[in-house]
Amino acid sequence: MIEETFPDKVLLNATGHALVSGGPGSGKTTLALTKALACLQAGLKPGQAVLFLSFSRAAVARLIQAGAATIPAAHRQALSVQTFHGFCWSILQSHSYLLGAPYRLEILMPHDERALSFGVTPDDDGWDAWLEERERLFMAGRVVFDLFAPKTLQLIRESGHIKRLISERFPIIIVDEAQDTGPDAWSIICELKGTSQIICLADPEQQIFDHLPGVGPERIEAIKQELSPLEIDLGQQNNRSPGTEIAIFGNDILRGRARGKAYDGVSRMVYPPRSVDLSLMLRRCLAIVYRKCRAKGMRPENCAILAATGRDVASITAALSSGARPVPHKVVFDEAKALLASRFAASMLEPKQSMRSDLCAALELLANMERASGTKGGRENAQKFQRWADEIGQGKKISSKGLCGRLVALMTGLSTAMFSGDPRADWLVVKDAFRNCSDTRLAAVASQLDYLVAFGRGRFLAANLSELWMSTGSYRGATRAFDAALAQDAILETSQDLRGVHVMTIHRAKGKQFDGVVILRKGIPGEGGRWRSSFVWRDDAHPYMRSRKILRVAITRARKHVLILDPAFPSCPLLKGHVL
C-alpha cells in the first residue's frame, strides 16, 4: 500500500494500472481528473480520448461539471465521460449484428421488461424462462438493460478487432465507484487491461449495492489480483464538507462509535410518529437546513430529501405538492408502474380516431401496469383487462358502465379539451382528468403521475412533445415520443440540473452531493407487533454493517448541513448514544 504526501505526483508518473481509494469527498475524482488533464496535455493521437466510466448518470453529470472546472476547453473534447450503460450501448448499436441480432437494435425499457415478465424476480420459478425469453427478444432486435454488459463482453471476447478499436480509442480508462462493478462490467475491464491503462477509484465502505448479483467485497481484492495496480490511499480526508463534522459523524455511524457530543453540521428534528403533518414537517426541515447553510456563510443552491424506499419518496412528493403553496421539487425515481402510467397518460394526449380501437389500446396499457406489479392480484387484473380488450376488438358491445364506460368518458372529455401546445400545462390537464375520475382504478393513475413532478423526467420528453405540436398542431404520436424520450433520457441525459429541492431514495443519491440533506427515518411494523427503524434494512443483523454503510452514504451527500427527521418511536440502534 502506498501512502504518499503528494499522491497526485505518484499517479501522474504512473504508466501502469492504479487503484485510488478513499472516503467520500477525499479527492478521488479530482486526482483522476488531474491525471486525465496531464495525459491530454502530453498529447494523444488524433481520435483518442480518456474514458471516464461511472455507473450513474448523476455521477456522470457531477464528473462533467468537475471536468469543466478542471479541464481547459481546448482539451475537453478528448475527455469522454460515460455511464457503463452508455458505453456498452454505443458498442452494441454498431456491432450487435455480429451476435445474430438485427442491424437496428431497440432498447426494451425496464418498465416494459417488468410488464412482459410479469414482474418475475430471480427468486421466482419463472426466472429461467424469462432469461430465455430476453435472449429471444435480443435476437429479434429488442435488448434489456441487463444484457448491455454481457453482450458487449461477448463482442469484445469474440472479436479482437472490436477490442483493438476500443483500446486504440481509449488508451486510458478511469473507472469510478469500482467497488460496485458487476461481474460482466468487471470482465470488460479485464479484457481491456492488456492494451489500456486502467485507473480504478473506490471506497470499500460505500459498497451499498452488494445485494445485487456478483457485487461484493471481493471486487477490491479482484482489482488488486487482476491489475497488480499502484495503490494510493487518500484515507478519510474530507474535501466535500470542510468546516463541518459531517464526515466524522458518517464515519462514527459506520464504526458504531458514539462520541457523546453534538456534531457541527448535523442536527435532528423529532416528530410524533402517530399524528404527523408530513407537509409541515418537511417545510420546517427545509427552512432549518437553508438557515444552517447560510450561517456557514453560503447561499445554498440545493437540498435533497432522502428516504429508504420508493413508497416513502411518493409520500414526500405528495406532501410537498400539497397545500396552497406547493414546494417546487424534482423527483428521482425508477418505478416501473409510474412509467407505465405515464405512457398511459401520454396516450391520452393523442387525438382519438376510433373509440373502439382507442379503448382497446387503453385497456392494454392498464393491463401492462398491472403485470408490472408482480403480484397475484396484478396478474389477475392484467388477464381480465386484456380479455376485455380482445373481446371489444372482436366487436363486443362497449358497456356504458364500469371501467370501460368510465374510460370512454375520460377519453371523450380529453378529446374535446383544448390543449395549449405547452407540454407541461397539457400534461397537468391529463393528470387532473385522471384524478377527478370516479373510477378508483383510473384515479390511482394520477398518484403515479405525481412522480413526474413539473415534468422532471427530462428535457427530451418536453422537447419531443413540443416538436409534435409544432409539426402537426396536435400530440399525434405522443406515446412513441414518450418511449423515445425515456430511451434518450436513460442513455444520453447527463446534464442534470441539481439546483433546488430533490427527492429520492438513499440508493439513488449515491454519486450526488448537495448543500443540505434531510434524511427521513420512519418506524416500520415488523413481526410479532414489533417495530423497527427504516434505517435498519430487512435481514441485516447486529452490528448492522450493511445498514450503517447505506446511512453513511446518505449523511455524506451533504456539503454544509444534514438533518435527520426522526420519529420519537421506535428508537434506532444506528443512532443510539449519538447527540444530535
Side-chain angles (χ1 to χ4, degrees):
M1 180 67 68
I2 294 179
E3 296 184 3
E4 280 285 338
T5 306
F6 303 104
D8 53 336
K9 293 183 179 180
V10 176
L11 186 60
L12 290 180
N13 295 328
T15 56
H17 307 310
L19 170 62
V20 181
S21 58
S26 60
K28 298 185 296 293
T29 300
T30 301
L31 184 57
L33 286 171
T34 303
K35 170 69 173 180
L37 176 58
C39 295
L40 296 174
Q41 289 175 333
L44 298 176
K45 295 179 181 178
Q48 287 188 325
V50 175
L51 177 61
F52 213 128
L53 286 175
S54 191
F55 290 94
S56 70
R57 291 176 299 143
V60 167
R62 177 174 54 82
L63 289 168
I64 290 175
Q65 293 174 350
T70 305
I71 309 296
H75 295 295
R76 284 178 204 157
Q77 286 188 336
L79 177 66
S80 178
V81 184
Q82 302 184 47
T83 63
F84 260 96
H85 275 137
F87 170 70
C88 292
W89 176 241
S90 66
I91 297 170
L92 287 176
Q93 275 186 305
S94 302
H95 304 293
S96 62
Y97 69 92
L98 295 174
L99 300 176
Y103 280 88
R104 190 178 182 87
L105 204 59
E106 174 189 341
I107 298 172
L108 183 64
M109 299 300 290
H111 52 286
D112 290 319
E113 181 184 354
R114 284 282 298 276
L116 284 174
S117 68
F118 286 86
V120 68
T121 69
D123 296 327
D124 297 331
D125 292 338
W127 181 248
D128 289 339
W130 171 243
L131 293 181
E132 293 181 7
E133 174 62 12
R134 70 183 194 182
E135 288 289 341
R136 186 195 68 78
L137 289 168
F138 175 75
M139 291 303 181
R142 304 183 75 190
V143 58
V144 302
F145 277 92
D146 284 347
L147 285 183
F148 276 30
K151 292 301 181 184
T152 300
L153 175 62
Q154 186 179 352
L155 280 170
I156 292 174
R157 281 178 170 169
E158 296 182 7
S159 172
H161 180 63
I162 292 176
K163 180 194 286 190
R164 185 172 62 256
L165 285 175
I166 295 171
S167 291
E168 288 178 355
R169 166 69 171 148
F170 302 116
I172 300 171
I173 300 175
I174 300 170
V175 185
D176 192 26
E177 305 283 8
Q179 76 277 357
D180 280 324
T181 312
D184 293 309
W186 171 242
S187 294
I188 290 173
I189 297 301
C190 291
E191 289 292 324
L192 299 174
K193 69 178 183 179
T195 48
S196 295
Q197 182 184 13
I198 309 298
I199 299 173
C200 293
L201 314 180
D203 179 359
E205 293 174 342
Q206 272 202 92
Q207 189 170 60
I208 65 172
F209 290 101
D210 50 3
H211 60 286
L212 298 177
V215 178
E218 68 275 4
R219 181 65 64 232
I220 297 294
E221 195 57 38
I223 292 172
K224 296 177 182 179
Q225 293 293 327
E226 287 284 344
L227 303 182
S228 299
L230 163 73
E231 296 181 44
I232 299 175
D233 186 0
L234 300 180
Q236 298 301 321
Q237 58 179 295
N238 174 27
N239 298 314
R240 175 175 296 159
S241 53
T244 76
E245 294 179 313
I246 294 173
I248 296 173
F249 176 55
N251 290 333
D252 283 352
I253 288 289
L254 181 67
R255 305 301 180 200
R257 297 186 300 237
R259 72 178 191 178
K261 64 177 183 178
Y263 297 84
D264 186 10
V266 182
S267 62
R268 173 185 184 223
M269 176 181 285
V270 180
Y271 67 91
R274 299 188 186 279
S275 58
V276 60
D277 183 340
L278 186 58
S279 175
L280 177 61
M281 294 298 294
L282 290 172
R283 284 165 168 79
R284 286 179 177 173
C285 288
L286 289 172
I288 291 172
V289 168
Y290 276 77
R291 187 169 65 249
K292 295 284 189 180
C293 288
R294 286 194 295 268
K296 290 288 184 182
M298 69 170 296
R299 182 181 178 84
E301 291 187 353
N302 54 26
C303 182
I305 303 177
L306 308 182
T309 67
R311 180 175 296 180
D312 290 339
V313 167
S315 298
I316 291 170
T317 191
L320 293 177
S321 301
S322 66
R325 298 182 65 182
V327 177
H329 63 285
K330 299 172 185 176
V331 185
V332 179
F333 68 99
D334 55 359
E335 297 292 334
K337 194 167 184 177
L339 294 178
L340 290 167
S342 301
R343 176 187 284 156
F344 189 15
S347 73
M348 292 296 154
L349 288 168
E350 298 198 33
K352 302 298 179 260
Q353 301 297 313
S354 162
M355 186 52 68
R356 183 173 294 275
S357 62
D358 290 335
L359 178 58
C360 290
L363 287 168
E364 289 174 352
L365 288 167
L366 276 174
N368 281 341
M369 288 177 58
E370 293 293 338
R371 287 190 191 99
S373 68
T375 64
K376 180 181 178 181
R379 287 191 291 271
E380 292 173 350
N381 284 335
Q383 292 170 355
K384 178 172 60 178
F385 297 158
Q386 188 63 58
R387 185 179 71 251
W388 291 353
D390 293 340
E391 291 172 351
I392 291 171
Q394 294 168 6
K396 182 179 179 179
K397 182 180 178 180
I398 301 174
S399 172
S400 60
K401 299 179 180 179
L403 177 64
C404 290
R406 290 170 186 138
L407 261 176
V408 169
L410 177 69
M411 291 189 290
T412 301
L414 287 172
S415 67
T416 59
M418 295 297 292
F419 291 129
S420 66
D422 179 350
R424 293 171 177 82
D426 294 338
W427 186 269
L428 293 177
V429 170
V430 172
K431 186 166 78 168
D432 287 342
F434 276 108
R435 196 181 303 280
N436 296 327
C437 186
S438 59
D439 189 285
T440 55
R441 290 164 293 191
L442 296 178
V445 173
S447 64
Q448 294 293 331
L449 299 181
D450 284 336
Y451 279 102
L452 291 171
V453 174
F455 234 68
R457 178 60 189 178
R459 58 188 174 93
F460 296 115
L461 184 50
N464 287 2
L465 292 177
S466 292
E467 184 177 347
L468 283 179
W469 187 272
M470 291 175 65
S471 60
T472 67
S474 72
Y475 290 119
R476 188 181 306 280
T479 308
R480 290 194 304 274
F482 178 78
D483 290 342
L486 286 183
Q488 289 171 294
D489 187 74
I491 297 297
L492 301 175
E493 180 62 89
T494 56
S495 58
Q496 297 183 18
D497 185 357
L498 291 180
R499 291 174 295 181
V501 177
H502 298 256
V503 182
M504 67 196 76
T505 63
I506 296 173
H507 281 81
R508 298 283 286 182
K510 190 176 181 183
K512 299 180 177 70
Q513 55 187 13
F514 301 90
D515 295 330
V517 170
V518 176
I519 310 173
L520 174 64
R521 187 174 80 86
K522 294 180 66 178
I524 301 176
E527 298 177 357
R530 297 179 180 178
W531 287 69
R532 65 181 178 88
S533 167
S534 62
F535 284 175
V536 177
W537 290 80
R538 188 180 300 277
D539 301 326
D540 190 17
H542 182 82
Y544 314 110
M545 284 311 301
R546 178 168 180 252
S547 300
R548 292 182 183 279
K549 286 182 179 180
I550 294 172
L551 181 55
R552 176 176 178 258
V553 166
I555 292 166
T556 54
R557 298 311 90 199
R559 284 191 287 254
K560 290 299 176 184
H561 196 82
V562 58
L563 183 150
I564 296 177
L565 184 52
D566 201 24
F569 173 85
S571 62
C572 179
L574 276 61
L575 299 177
K576 185 177 180 180
H578 287 281
V579 177
L580 304 176

